[in-house]
Structures are given as structure tokens and as C-alpha cells.
Amino acid sequence: MRLGFLVAVLWLATAVSGFGLAPIGRPHAAFLPDSARRANVDSLMLVQCPGYQTVRVAQILFVGNDVTKERVLRAELDIHEGDSLAASSLARRLEQNRRRLFNLQLFNQVNLQLTCRAGELIILFSLQERWYTFPVPIFSLADRNFRSWLNRPDRWRRIDYGIHLSRYNFRGRNEQLMANLQLGFNRKYELFYVTPGLGHRRRLGLSAGASLFQSHTIDYRTSEDRLLAYRADNTFPIQRWYVTGGLRWRRTVQRLTTLEAIYTEERITDSVRQRNPEYFLGATRRNYLDVVLTRTLNRRNTFAYPLTGSYLQASLGQRFFLSSSSAPLTTASLTYARYFDLGHGFYYSAGGEGRLRLSRRLAYADSHALGFRQALVRGYDAFVIDGRHYGVLRQGFSLRLFDAGRLNVPVLNDARLDRIPLVLYLNTFADAGFVAERSVPASNHLPNELLASAGMGLHLVTYYDRVFTFEYARTVHGTGGFFLRTEFPL
């Protein structure tokens, strides 16, 4: 569980002031979280352009984008100068475009203002840019989650430290540069680059990266649905490096298709193979090529803590082993979620994810299912469940308890540092999951069993897309407890 994000508690967001144009929304709309915004264009149209069934977009303006190139912003919009828009659907159309800009995750605030004269619209997007360069110290636990780390007898030696450097919106083109220098228990050296779009239309993008990972410990087997670890102080029982490159096709920030190729080489020591010959199916070294096609349709109102909309992601991957007799591995996964505003501060969400993994014979390293970083039934944090296929269903009710708008904390003379948006939700949830595996070791009991849990928690949403959750969960197997997480659970 990464703790370096705590440094971000000093960052802040504020709205850009207006320029004399009529703002969309009710009074003090700029102080609402983006997930709770409501557009109100009808009254403005009645006053400024009464009787018009359609209006023409005369001009679209941007202010506050000191770093971000204007063509990056225009590429996200589905409205352009000269378009004729129906007055009856104008509010919805403008709000959709405002959210597209906000979900670029480049701005603390995106405010929409307009004026109408004789059926001609002037639209102004006022933006408050974030900080884009973040040198964040790494201080993290070398385990799947806090509970797993706490159960380790050598927990205080299982600490990672270093620095994570991110440069977002590189060159003002929404490009990303990321580097990791991590030392300590697990060593990691990484460099990644992503450009979401090239050219005038910004549809085709590229990604590239390289990573080297070394660790003094390896979880070599699962027994009693818990990981068994082997530690070697003088060597690295596991080493992994990979290089990746890909293409990205996007219509807007909501629609993305990626095609990636990842070449990976992994090595384990003889000591690991002796403890579990199935870890790499009898080998100590393997290299392989993954080709992964992913399609994402993200129609959530905001990406950090969605309250309305939907999310769909489908992925198909093929692994070709290059240095061993292992059979090719095919993986298909699907994630879907819906979010509903029930009114009066109540919200409901439901969704699920699943995976199919097809191969004649599966190495232990490729059999991880629930309880690892990719998927979890809440309450089973102390356990891992191995298997080829899995499915998880989640649902939750949330009540907005507290909305500070933007808490005024004048620390520095910087608009990005003197106001903090804070929203607190009370959440109740229920999860269910299942892992399917033909051959299960007698010491493991959770594969091919129904996993289910329920609980409640508090979710804190703040700036820079940070979500902190404190939850209590109980499972049908009598386990559970309190859990601290740093991501939206659904």
C-alpha cells in the first residue's frame, strides 16, 4: 500500500474567476464538486435569446490554459464554431463537453460560461490548471495491502523507499513522463512515456516504457489461502524486466482503444524452483511476448469518484512463450459498472468484473486471481485465491454527508494551494465473488467457493483525484475487519 500520496495533502484547487459572461449553473456552482454540478441554461436562453429553437455557436474561447495547448482542448469537444444546436438540449450538450475537459484530469476546475445575442452563442471555458510536475517520495509496504504487511513477522524490513517523478501535460500536449527509482526491500527502476494523441485531430497516440524489478523475497506458493514467502538477503530470488510499446486510438477522453506489445523476461533462483517446481513449470527462466487489445468506454460523470454514468472495459490478451515449452496463454477480461443519482444526496452503484484464462497448463505465477492487486472481494484482504477464472460483483449505496465546497486554508500565495475541496460520503456495500479452478491443492479452501461480504465505510474525496476510504467488512466465512484504501472501490 503506497503511502507516498500523503505528500499531496498540501495541494489545492480553485476556480478561475469569470469574465463578465453569464455563468451556467445555480449560485455558487463553482464551489460544488464536479460530480454534483447541474447546468441551468434554460433561464439564460429565455432572457437573452427568447423564442429561438436553435442557436449558432459563434465563438468558443478558453482562458486559464497557460500551459495546455488550445488544440488539445478543442480535440475533446463535439461542438465547433458554426454548429447549430437545439436550444432544448443545449444545457445537456454543454455540460457533457465541460465534463470531457474536466476528465482530462489536467485541471482543478473547469467552469462553463456563455452569452447569447440574436441567436449567436459565445462559449467560454475558464480553466484552473493543476501542478504538472510531482516529485513524490516513495515510502510503501512491500505487500498486497496493509493487513498482509501487518501479518508478516519481518514487517519492518519489508519497506520500499525512493522517489516517483511524474510530469503530466508535458509540452502542454497532455503527454505523460513517469520515472520510478525505488530501493529497499523491492527495487524498481522504471521509465514510461505516453502521448494520448498526435496530429490535428489527436486521435492516434503512442506509449512506451521499460521496467526492471528485483526483490529479496518471493511468494512462491499458496497454502491455507495465504502466500508463503521465501527470503534471501544476499540475492534476488525473483528478477523481472520488460519493455513495452503501444498504439492508442481515442475519439475523446471517454473512448479509448489500445494495442500493446510487452516483452518480458523473468528469472527465479533454484531455491524457488525446489520449493515450488510449478512456479515456472519446472524452469528458472522464461521470456514471453504479450499482445493486448483493450477497449474502454468511460461515460462516468467524473473519473475519480463517479456518481452517475457508466464504465465498460473489455480486454483480450495473448501470451507467446519464447524460451520454454509452455503452451500459449489467452486471457479475456471484462469490467462494467453503472452509477445512479437517487436524489437528496443518495447514490447507488453496481458493477462487476470477470476474467477467463485459457491454457493447457498454467504456471503458478500465472494463476493469481482474487486477493491480489487486480481484484478483491472486500473483507478477504488477508487471503489470496488462485485460479484460472474469476468473477466479482459489487454494489453500494452512498450518502453525501459533508461538502466543504472548497475549504479555505491560506498556506501560500498561490490559487492552487489555498483552497481544498472536501466531500465525505457514508457508504454501505455488498460484494460477491467466485474463483473457478479444476485442480485445487488440498490446503486451499476458497477456490470454487462462494465469497461474499458486506460492510460500511467513509469515503473522502479531495483534490487531484484523491479518494481515501475507511471501511469495515464482514464475510460469510467469518473474517473481516477495518480496512484503509486509497482508491474508489467500484
Side-chain angles (χ1 to χ4, degrees), residues 59-72:
Q59 199 171 8
I60 299 176
L61 304 173
F62 302 90
V63 65
N65 54 314
D66 299 328
V67 175
T68 310
K69 304 296 184 183
E70 186 171 310
R71 62 178 176 269
V72 173

Side-chain angles (χ1 to χ4, degrees), residues 63-329:
V63 65
N65 54 314
D66 299 328
V67 175
T68 310
K69 304 296 184 183
E70 186 171 310
R71 62 178 176 269
V72 173
L73 306 175
R74 291 186 177 274
E76 296 300 321
L77 305 180
D78 67 357
I79 55 176
H80 310 281
E81 280 95 349
D83 288 352
S84 294
L85 306 179
S88 60
S89 60
L90 183 61
R92 177 181 57 82
R93 187 80 174 270
L94 293 178
E95 174 61 12
Q96 287 176 347
N97 281 269
R98 188 196 68 82
R99 288 179 176 176
R100 286 182 178 182
L101 296 179
F102 179 77
N103 283 324
L104 286 173
Q105 298 180 304
L106 300 178
F107 310 105
N108 291 323
Q109 293 285 337
V110 177
N111 294 325
L112 174 60
Q113 301 167 312
L114 62 85
T115 186
C116 184
R117 294 290 184 270
E120 299 279 315
L121 282 180
I122 298 177
I123 302 171
L124 171 68
F125 291 100
S126 56
L127 315 166
Q128 211 275 332
E129 292 185 319
R130 298 180 176 186
W131 279 355
Y132 297 128
T133 302
F134 299 107
V136 179
I138 294 174
F139 182 82
S140 60
L141 310 180
D143 282 285
R144 300 173 293 108
N145 50 57
F146 180 77
R147 180 59 59 88
S148 298
W149 176 82
L150 196 62
N151 292 337
R152 301 278 192 176
D154 60 343
R155 67 181 71 93
W156 293 113
R157 301 181 66 179
R158 301 176 63 86
I159 300 294
D160 299 327
Y161 59 89
I163 187 167
H164 173 81
L165 180 62
S166 298
R167 170 61 179 177
Y168 297 97
N169 206 13
F170 180 57
R171 301 193 302 166
R173 293 174 169 86
N174 196 17
E175 299 168 334
Q176 299 178 33
L177 276 176
M178 291 165 284
N180 281 320
L181 176 60
Q182 178 178 298
L183 304 174
F185 197 79
N186 298 313
R187 299 183 182 181
K188 189 181 295 184
Y189 313 91
E190 295 180 322
L191 181 64
F192 297 97
Y193 167 78
V194 177
T195 176
L198 300 171
H200 176 71
R201 293 171 57 85
R202 298 191 59 82
R203 296 292 185 256
L204 182 65
L206 303 172
S207 63
S211 173
L212 171 63
F213 171 80
Q214 300 171 316
S215 179
H216 285 294
T217 187
I218 182 173
D219 296 317
Y220 66 91
R221 187 188 297 277
T222 305
S223 180
E224 300 295 334
D225 302 299
R226 298 175 185 267
L227 293 173
L228 299 180
Y230 167 69
R231 178 188 175 97
D233 291 329
N234 298 322
T235 187
F236 297 111
I238 176 71
Q239 298 187 69
R240 178 189 306 112
W241 70 269
Y242 69 85
V243 292
T244 178
L247 299 175
R248 305 164 63 88
W249 176 259
R250 64 195 297 273
R251 294 291 301 275
T252 68
V253 69
Q254 296 175 318
R255 299 170 182 265
L256 175 64
T257 302
T258 64
L259 178 63
E260 292 183 287
I262 308 105
Y263 174 80
T264 304
E265 183 170 314
E266 297 177 308
R267 298 175 184 268
I268 58 173
T269 60
D270 285 329
S271 298
V272 177
R273 180 175 58 177
Q274 292 170 5
R275 285 168 170 79
N276 185 1
E278 297 299 306
Y279 194 91
F280 281 163
L281 298 180
T284 58
R285 173 184 175 273
R286 65 177 189 172
N287 59 338
Y288 51 85
L289 177 68
D290 285 312
V291 180
V292 183
L293 177 65
T294 303
R295 172 66 170 169
T296 303
L297 182 60
N298 193 342
R299 292 178 171 171
R300 299 176 295 182
N301 65 325
T302 60
F303 294 179
Y305 195 90
L307 299 175
T308 61
S310 63
Y311 177 85
L312 173 66
Q313 185 176 80
S315 178
L316 180 63
Q318 184 67 42
R319 177 172 295 180
F320 304 95
F321 290 94
L322 306 177
S323 63
S324 69
S325 58
S326 298
L329 174 62

